[in-house]
Amino acid sequence: MSSPSKHILLLGPAYPYRGGLAAFNERLAYALQDAGHQVTLITFTLQYPDFLFPGKTQYSEDAAPEGLAIERKINAVNPFNWWRVGRELRKRRPDVVIAAYWMPFMAPCLGTILRQLDDRHTQRIGLVHNIIPHERRPGDQLLSRYFTAASDGFMTLSTSVKEELADFSAAPVRTSPHPIYDSYGARVNPTVARQHLGLDADGRYLLFFGYIREYKGLELLLEAMANPMIRKSGVKLILAGEYYGNQEKYETLMETLGITDLVIAHTSFIANDEVRYYFGAADLVVQPYKTATQSGISQLAYHFEKPMVVTRVGGLPEIVPHGEAGYVIEQDAEELAVSVLDFYQNERTESLGKGVRKEKQRFSWSTFVETLEQLF
């Protein structure tokens, strides 16, 4: 049963910003509205200074999402703005303010805004994607403590983050898995998807999707692609996503391993309306991460009903049951190659696909909202 209607402000990335966090917040706003709440997204006028942003652009080229109230107010690097926005939001007397937290860089602005709110009237909830960042820097823990000290409770998307939060705060925590990303269109028949991308209709394709960052372990997958049995099997890798790191490093590795002809690179940002074709074309989605908490890529794979290979890190094993919805492996290129070969040689498409369709029922937005409402 949903809680009584609340006036909710959701702080974090949203349109016109692009990427998984913006997509998550927008989809959560829809789900909260469906549950009867009044929701306003409060996003950034400046999210990252250009010199700190590793990609080509922070902004979406898509149309604004319909049916959402989105206000651009927060300047992530201007302390005067944090005080002003916090006091402005205080005057609105919201019942709940949910602040999305994913990296310590955002702790000063979000923590300061939360501190301006009237905690006698407004409940302050931290929606914590990561409390300890994948790519760590000095001062991370101090900054995260500044954010957590301003929150009355927390929502996490994995038990690993919940356990890490215990070192930062004794406030109540609720956990529910990252729901399915179902806002990228319907599934596409593999033949149609491959034709759209100019691929062989009868080919065998793995998919690495999303921003290419150091912690995502792409080199492990590239090393697996160099396995002689992989080459013999005719498997190719679709590399789809923008480099957020050392592009030259990965391209040099492909050349050194002699696998350039096995990699189909689409290394620019993938527009929302193109996502379904990449997942439609793939047989298996590979996430060879070095560290992880949860992953929106897994939830895209569930939406498009694709089996996965994930490494045994963070919350990924919670999301992908081994042998049912895919493979859970150690961070080992040979084990990754063995899993891929098993998938094709033993024709696991149907059995693992059935497991994916069963597991995806766990990841509804309504369940996520019901868990979140326990903190209200």
Side-chain angles (χ1 to χ4, degrees):
M1 179 181 296
S2 294
S3 67
S5 178
K6 302 289 186 182
H7 176 202
I8 299 173
L9 302 181
L10 177 53
L11 279 53
Y15 187 87
Y17 295 95
R18 70 183 193 184
L21 285 165
F24 184 97
N25 289 336
E26 290 161 8
R27 185 62 184 85
L28 175 57
Y30 281 124
L32 287 166
Q33 289 180 168
D34 289 343
H37 303 295
Q38 176 191 343
V39 184
T40 302
L41 284 152
I42 307 294
T43 192
F44 298 91
T45 55
L46 187 150
Q47 181 174 228
Y48 305 109
D50 287 340
F51 73 91
L52 290 178
F53 184 71
K56 296 175 182 176
T57 178
Q58 302 178 51
Y59 298 101
S60 172
E61 297 179 356
D62 296 320
E66 297 180 357
L68 293 180
I70 303 176
E71 300 177 11
R72 297 185 67 188
K73 290 190 175 294
I74 304 171
N75 183 313
V77 298
N78 184 343
F80 296 104
N81 168 271
W82 311 338
W83 285 85
R84 179 179 58 77
V85 171
R87 289 173 178 176
E88 178 186 336
L89 299 185
R90 177 189 181 108
K91 291 178 182 178
R92 298 190 188 186
R93 294 178 62 81
D95 299 305
V96 181
V97 172
I98 302 170
Y101 187 74
W102 68 102
M103 64 184 304
F105 176 78
M106 292 298 171
C109 71
L110 295 175
T112 301
I113 290 171
L114 292 179
R115 280 170 168 80
Q116 308 312 305
L117 302 173
D118 184 352
D119 58 6
R120 295 167 300 177
H121 181 80
T122 300
Q123 188 157 18
R124 305 164 301 177
I125 296 174
L127 173 55
V128 181
H129 294 262
N130 301 303
I131 192 65
I132 299 173
H134 299 298
E135 296 156 345
R136 302 183 185 186
R137 296 174 178 84
D140 284 344
Q141 293 225 354
L142 185 64
L143 289 168
S144 288
R145 288 187 190 283
Y146 182 75
F147 173 79
T148 55
S151 302
D152 303 313
F154 302 96
M155 182 73 179
T156 71
L157 288 76
S158 69
T159 55
S160 62
V161 173
K162 180 180 180 179
E163 291 167 357
E164 290 170 352
L165 256 174
D167 293 330
F168 291 84
S169 175
V173 182
R174 296 290 182 272
T175 300
S176 186
H178 192 310
I180 287 174
Y181 274 138
D182 55 5
S183 52
Y184 290 89
R187 288 182 291 118
V188 180
N189 177 279
T191 302
V192 173
R194 292 174 180 184
Q195 182 179 26
H196 180 82
L197 296 176
L199 303 175
D200 183 355
D202 298 320
R204 292 176 164 183
Y205 297 104
L206 309 179
L207 176 64
F208 179 99
F209 189 89
Y211 297 131
I212 302 170
R213 303 184 67 169
E214 178 66 26
Y215 77 87
K216 292 191 175 182
L218 174 59
E219 61 268 34
L220 186 74
L221 176 52
L222 298 179
E223 290 167 9
M225 291 298 297
N227 184 297
M229 294 300 293
I230 292 288
R231 179 177 286 278
K232 185 177 179 180
S233 72
V235 175
K236 292 191 175 183
L237 168 64
I238 304 171
L239 182 59
E242 187 176 354
Y243 279 106
Y244 268 34
N246 191 338
Q247 179 174 349
E248 182 179 356
K249 164 189 169 180
Y250 297 108
E251 291 180 345
T252 300
L253 180 59
M254 292 179 212
E255 293 176 4
T256 301
L257 294 171
I259 60 169
T260 304
D261 61 320
L262 302 183
V263 179
I264 301 159
H266 292 253
T267 50
S268 58
F269 182 78
I270 309 299
N272 288 353
D273 59 358
E274 289 290 306
V275 171
R276 60 191 186 135
Y277 294 105
Y278 288 91
F279 281 85
D283 303 308
L284 197 60
V285 177
V286 183
Q287 297 173 261
Y289 295 0
K290 298 176 181 178
T291 66
T293 47
Q294 66 286 320
S295 171
I297 306 304
S298 299
Q299 301 308 331
L300 278 170
Y302 271 120
H303 173 60
F304 293 112
E305 298 185 356
K306 296 294 178 177
M308 290 157 269
V309 181
V310 302
T311 43
R312 195 182 305 280
V313 295
L316 295 183
E318 301 171 36
I319 301 300
V320 184
H322 179 71
E324 297 180 30
Y327 303 85
V328 179
I329 64 167
E330 301 302 326
Q331 296 174 53
D332 181 83
E334 183 175 353
E335 188 175 351
L336 201 166
V338 168
S339 297
V340 170
L341 292 168
D342 174 78
F343 177 79
Y344 287 109
Q345 292 173 354
N346 293 299
E347 300 180 353
R348 308 284 191 196
T349 301
E350 183 53 39
S351 61
L352 291 180
K354 183 178 179 180
V356 167
R357 290 187 290 275
K358 176 184 176 183
E359 284 296 314
K360 73 183 287 189
Q361 305 305 317
R362 292 196 290 140
F363 306 115
S364 72
W365 283 96
S366 60
T367 298
F368 188 87
V369 166
E370 287 171 6
T371 306
L372 176 60
E373 287 174 333
Q374 294 173 16
L375 291 166
F376 291 179

